[in-house]
Structures are given as C-alpha cells and as structure tokens.
Amino acid sequence: MRASLEVADIFRSAGPAYRAAHAGHLSLGQLKAMTAIENCRTAALGGHVEACDDCGHWRIAYNSCRNRHCP
C-alpha cells in the first residue's frame, strides 16, 4: 500500500524552487540524490508489467532509482 505523501512527491513539487533558492549552496551529490528520488518509480526509469497467472490482472511496476538515500 502506498503512503498518501512521499518524499518524492515533495521533491517533485518543491524541488525546482528549492534548487533555485539555494543555487550554489547544494553539492553535486545532493542535486543528484534529489533528481534520483524525483525520478524514482516513474516512467523516467522504465518499468515492467506484472501479471497474475490466475486471474489475468496486470499492472505496471516502475523501477526504483536505487539511490542509497531514497526512502
């Protein structure tokens, strides 16, 4: 079950403004981690189809960013 609000949701909505407000004060590692978390479990990283052999139900599962800072 997905939580109602995730860190990635906050980064997606407030990340660009935060980066602009703190330009020059964020390290490359911090910027890369923010971008990875924003893209985590989205079509940007690709995905695959999971299907039930019994009922035929299927869903798309997007890939994780695999960043060690990602919750």
Side-chain angles (χ1 to χ4, degrees):
M1 174 183 244
R2 183 171 185 237
S4 60
L5 185 65
E6 294 182 346
V7 173
D9 297 326
I10 296 167
F11 277 11
R12 286 182 199 116
S13 65
Y18 184 85
R19 284 197 260 316
H22 295 88
H25 298 285
L26 296 171
S27 70
L28 182 59
Q30 290 169 324
L31 292 171
K32 284 183 176 183
M34 285 182 73
T35 301
I37 293 170
E38 287 171 344
N39 290 329
C40 191
R41 293 187 312 275
T42 66
L45 298 179
H48 53 280
V49 176
E50 295 178 339
C52 176
D53 293 332
D54 294 329
C55 70
H57 176 77
W58 60 274
R59 69 177 180 149
I60 298 173
Y62 293 113
N63 297 332
S64 167
C65 65
R66 298 174 61 191
N67 185 292
R68 67 185 182 117
H69 299 100
C70 186

